[in-house]
Amino acid sequence: LESSAVGLVEDLRALEAKRIKDLEHAEGVRKWQEQDFKQQLADKDEQRQAAATAHNKAVAALKATHKQNVADLGTKHDKEMADANTAHTETIKKLTAEKDEVIETKCKEVEVLTAERARLEGVVAGLQDDKARLEAEVAELKTKISTLEAELSQTKETLKQCEERCAAEQSLRMQVDEQRKAD
């Protein structure tokens, strides 16, 4: 009985250690997912900034070209000026359309990232729930271990008392047997 109780206590301690390890693993997974999400956000922000920089450079180059064209066309025919202005307007329209398309694309990417963030936050919440549940199970197992250790101690005490009674009975029998032999 004692060895069974000791084995049960050892099994419960091993189970507690496994639960703690599972809890630590779940926390590690949660941290990795959170870091991965942050890296994805940083990458998307870097892409957005690069697109904005490219757009600003294109607009600056176009403005510089336009300014030079206006200076050059000042001495030329009115038709050439009108043609250059038309070409410039078309270029602006095209760049505006491209800019609008980039903005729309980036907005969609932000929506996707927002949804992914919400999903990851749900995963984190689930992992935190798991952690709380595992901690409660660990506390319960500790209580059971304490109870079993108390029962084991009581069983040892009872066993000791039984051994003492058996020894006393054996001694009494031996005395009775010696008394009978003497009679």
Side-chain angles (χ1 to χ4, degrees):
L1 182 60
E2 180 181 345
S3 66
S4 295
V6 169
L8 184 56
V9 169
E10 289 174 355
D11 289 348
L12 287 173
R13 285 187 177 145
L15 182 59
E16 178 183 11
K18 183 182 181 315
R19 295 282 183 166
I20 290 170
K21 186 177 178 182
D22 289 347
L23 185 61
E24 290 171 349
H25 176 71
E27 181 67 15
V29 169
R30 182 196 68 76
K31 285 181 180 178
W32 176 83
Q33 289 176 336
E34 182 176 65
Q35 183 62 34
D36 186 54
F37 177 71
K38 286 179 182 177
Q39 184 60 47
Q40 289 177 11
L41 285 178
D43 291 346
K44 291 299 180 183
D45 189 52
E46 184 177 311
Q47 291 172 3
R48 182 193 61 74
Q49 288 176 357
T53 300
H55 171 71
N56 290 340
K57 284 182 181 179
V59 169
L62 184 61
K63 285 181 179 179
T65 301
H66 175 64
K67 185 175 181 181
Q68 184 61 46
N69 286 343
V70 168
D72 291 346
L73 289 174
T75 58
K76 293 185 178 183
H77 193 273
D78 287 343
K79 184 180 184 311
E80 290 175 350
M81 179 66 93
D83 290 345
N85 283 336
T86 300
H88 173 70
T89 301
E90 290 302 317
T91 302
I92 291 292
K93 285 180 184 177
K94 180 181 175 186
L95 286 173
T96 301
E98 289 175 1
K99 179 190 76 167
D100 291 344
E101 185 178 333
V102 167
I103 289 171
E104 183 179 339
T105 300
K106 293 302 173 188
C107 286
K108 288 178 182 176
E109 289 175 0
V110 167
E111 288 175 8
V112 169
L113 287 173
T114 300
E116 180 63 10
R117 180 179 186 166
R119 185 190 69 78
L120 288 174
E121 286 173 350
V123 169
V124 168
L127 289 172
Q128 289 172 341
D129 289 345
D130 289 347
K131 178 182 176 183
R133 181 183 50 77
L134 288 171
E135 286 173 346
E137 288 178 9
V138 165
E140 184 180 334
L141 287 173
K142 285 181 179 178
T143 301
K144 286 181 181 178
I145 287 171
S146 296
T147 301
L148 287 172
E149 286 174 343
E151 289 176 3
L152 177 60
S153 177
Q154 182 63 39
T155 301
K156 284 180 180 179
E157 183 60 33
T158 302
L159 182 59
K160 181 180 173 186
Q161 291 173 3
C162 287
E163 288 173 349
E164 288 172 357
R165 273 189 256 142
C166 286
E169 287 177 10
Q170 182 69 22
S171 174
L172 185 60
R173 281 190 200 129
M174 290 173 72
Q175 289 174 2
V176 168
D177 287 345
E178 287 177 11
Q179 185 66 32
R180 285 183 188 159
K181 286 180 186 176
D183 290 342

